[in-house]
Amino acid sequence: MTVASELTEEQEALRSEVRKFVAKEISPVASKFDASGEFPFEVFKKAHTLGFMNLTLPEKFGGMNLTLSDTCLVIEELASGCAGMATSILANDLALLPIHVGGSEAQKAQFIEPIVKSGKFASFCLSEPSAGSDAGGITTSITKDGADYIINGAKQWITNGGLASQYTVFATHDKSKKHKGISCIVVPSDSKGITKGHHENKMGQRCSNTVALTFDNVRVPAGNLIGTEGEGFSIAMKTLDLTRPLTAILAVGISRAAIEASINYSKDRKQFGAPISSFQAVQFMLADMATETEAARLLTMKAANMLDRGINATKMSSMAKRFAADTAMKVTTDAVQIFGGYGYTKDYPVEKLMRDAKLLQIYEGTSQIQRLVIARELLKG
C-alpha cells in the first residue's frame, strides 16, 4: 500500500524484512493470542533478536537508531499482523524516550542501555484511575526525603506493566501547581511497595499486557530523577510529540490489513451470481477505505519527516494521530460490513481488526484531545 518509488533501497529492504517476520511469526498466531489474552514471549524474543524493538533509541545504547520515518515503516508492518503485539513493541520506545529526551548521558547509559540490550521491557506511567486525558491532574505524589524520593499513588492502563523491569513514572510534588508540579523519575519494578494489578480483560489488543500499578511509599534514589523537579510534564509532552506519529502509523497498519482482507473476500464472495466486488456499493466502500488510509499514511509520514528534521510538529503529530485513528475505526467497521455476517464472527480477521482499532481513538490522547491540541496550535497563529 505504500508507494514503492518513495522509498530508498535501504528502506525497501527494511520493510521487506519486517514483512517476512510478520508473515512467519505474527500473523499465524495473532488470533490465538487474541483469544487467550496471553503475552507472546517467543515472538518478542525473536523481534528483539532481529532488531525490531527499541527502534528509535540510540545505537550506542543498543537501539536501532532509526529515524521516525523509518520506524513508521516497521510499525505499519507489525500492526498489519497484530496491533496488540505492535503496541507492546512500541511501548519500550515510549517508556525510554523520556530518558533520552530529558536525561543526562549517565542516566541514558544507566536506564536505557540495560533494557535495550537485554530485551527486557520498560513502561511509561502517566495515566491514572482519575487522570487520563487530564495529564496535569495526576495525583501520584513524589516527595524528597534525604537522598531519595518517595512515591505514593496509582497508575492505570500501563502497557507491559506486569512484565517491565523499570517504570518511567510521572508524579507531582504539589497538586496545586498542576502541570508545573510534575516530575519524571525512573523506578525499578522490583522496588519495595509496588503492587501490580491483573492483566486487563480488554476488548481489543488483548495480548498486549495492560495492568494497574500501585506505589506505596516506594523509595527511589534522587539520581533517578529525569531532568529537574517540575520538568516532568514538558518531558512527557515532548515524548508524545515524537510517539504520536508511531501510534498513527499503527492505525494505518490496521486499516491496511482490513482493506487487503476486504478486497480478497469481495472477489471470492458471490451474491446474485456475481462476486460482490463487481457491485458498485462495495467498490465505493473499498475506494473510500483505500483513499482515507493513504491520506492517513501521508499525513503521518509528513509529521515523522518534520520531527526527523528537527521541526516542531505538535500540530501535525496530533492531526496524524487523530485522523489515522478515526480512519482505522471507520475502515475496519466498513470491512466488517463488507464481510456481512461472516465479518461478525471470529472465523474471519476483520472483527479483531475492528476491536483493535478502537483503542487507537483512546490511548496516547483521545481523538477529542487531539482536536483540542490542533485547535490550540491553530489559534496560536
Side-chain angles (χ1 to χ4, degrees):
M1 302 294 291
T2 303
V3 180
S5 62
E6 295 175 349
L7 303 181
T8 65
E9 186 176 333
E10 290 78 11
Q11 288 174 323
E12 285 281 15
L14 173 64
R15 187 176 67 171
S16 177
E17 287 304 306
V18 183
R19 189 167 290 180
K20 290 175 186 175
F21 172 74
V22 170
K24 182 180 179 182
E25 305 292 348
I26 292 182
S27 296
V29 299
S31 61
K32 168 191 168 185
F33 285 104
D34 173 67
S36 69
E38 295 176 86
F39 194 77
F41 286 101
E42 287 302 314
V43 174
F44 286 96
K45 188 182 296 183
K46 291 174 183 176
H48 179 260
T49 299
L50 292 171
F52 300 147
M53 288 183 64
N54 307 302
L55 299 163
T56 63
L57 297 161
E59 190 173 4
K60 67 178 179 178
F61 299 129
M64 295 307 296
N65 201 37
L66 296 182
T67 63
L68 286 176
S69 299
D70 286 351
T71 302
C72 282
L73 296 178
V74 175
I75 296 299
E76 179 179 337
E77 296 303 324
L78 295 174
S80 71
C82 179
M85 295 187 202
T87 290
S88 276
I89 285 175
L90 190 54
N92 256 28
D93 285 271
L94 176 61
L96 298 177
L97 274 172
I99 304 168
H100 183 52
V101 166
S104 66
E105 288 302 306
Q107 287 177 320
K108 294 174 188 180
Q110 181 182 358
F111 298 125
I112 295 179
E113 189 170 358
I115 297 292
V116 172
K117 289 188 174 179
S118 66
K120 293 179 180 179
F121 295 97
S123 292
F124 181 84
C125 302
L126 181 63
S127 295
E128 297 185 0
S130 298
S133 296
D134 180 17
I138 64 175
T139 60
T140 296
S141 66
I142 179 169
T143 306
K144 189 74 181 294
D145 183 38
D148 299 327
Y149 283 104
I150 297 175
I151 302 169
N152 283 284
K155 294 296 180 179
Q156 188 73 39
W157 317 121
I158 306 305
T159 301
N160 296 344
L163 311 167
S165 295
Q166 70 182 37
Y167 303 124
T168 303
V169 178
F170 295 87
T172 180
H173 296 273
D174 183 349
K175 288 186 288 186
S176 67
K177 292 183 179 180
K178 296 185 178 181
H179 305 85
K180 295 180 180 179
I182 296 172
S183 291
C184 174
I185 192 166
V186 176
V187 182
S189 66
D190 59 359
S191 299
K192 184 180 178 181
I194 296 178
T195 302
K196 303 173 185 178
H198 65 274
H199 171 48
E200 300 288 351
N201 187 14
K202 307 190 297 291
M203 177 172 75
Q205 302 200 22
R206 289 171 47 77
C207 72
S208 177
N209 180 260
T210 308
V211 304
L213 298 173
T214 302
F215 298 85
D216 183 11
N217 288 320
V218 176
R219 186 174 289 272
V220 185
N224 288 25
L225 188 77
I226 304 301
T228 59
E229 289 189 4
E231 196 181 356
F233 186 80
S234 173
I235 291 172
M237 293 305 104
K238 288 176 183 177
T239 299
L240 291 173
D241 278 350
L242 292 170
T243 59
R244 277 179 184 141
L246 305 183
T247 309
I249 205 68
L250 199 155
V252 171
I254 295 175
S255 296
R256 194 189 86 196
I259 293 168
E260 291 171 353
S262 297
I263 290 171
N264 292 333
Y265 180 82
S266 70
K267 290 178 178 179
D268 291 336
R269 175 66 169 167
K270 290 183 172 60
Q271 291 286 277
F272 308 105
I276 63 172
S277 61
S278 67
F279 303 149
Q280 190 177 68
V282 173
Q283 291 176 358
F284 280 10
M285 291 176 73
L286 291 171
D288 287 347
M289 291 159 72
T291 301
E292 289 161 16
T293 298
E294 187 64 22
R297 179 183 293 109
L298 293 171
L299 189 56
T300 300
M301 295 306 288
K302 179 176 180 178
N305 181 262
M306 288 174 66
L307 289 163
D308 284 337
R309 290 185 290 141
I311 300 172
N312 181 287
T314 298
K315 179 180 71 175
M316 198 60 60
S317 291
S318 285
M319 284 182 169
K321 203 274 184 181
R322 198 291 297 169
F323 185 74
D326 291 349
T327 294
M329 195 68 244
K330 179 180 182 297
V331 166
T332 55
T333 301
D334 286 348
V336 171
Q337 190 71 17
I338 288 171
F339 274 72
Y342 292 110
Y344 204 65
T345 71
K346 294 185 182 296
D347 294 328
Y348 290 82
V350 289
E351 65 84 29
K352 176 184 183 296
L353 294 169
M354 183 179 177
R355 288 186 287 108
D356 287 349
K358 184 60 197 173
L359 187 55
L360 273 298
Q361 293 181 306
I362 299 172
Y363 71 0
E364 287 207 40
T366 65
S367 292
Q368 289 71 32
I369 287 295
Q370 303 307 329
R371 287 175 169 88
L372 289 175
V373 173
I374 295 163
R376 183 187 66 201
E377 292 297 309
L378 290 171
L379 293 170
K380 279 165 61 176

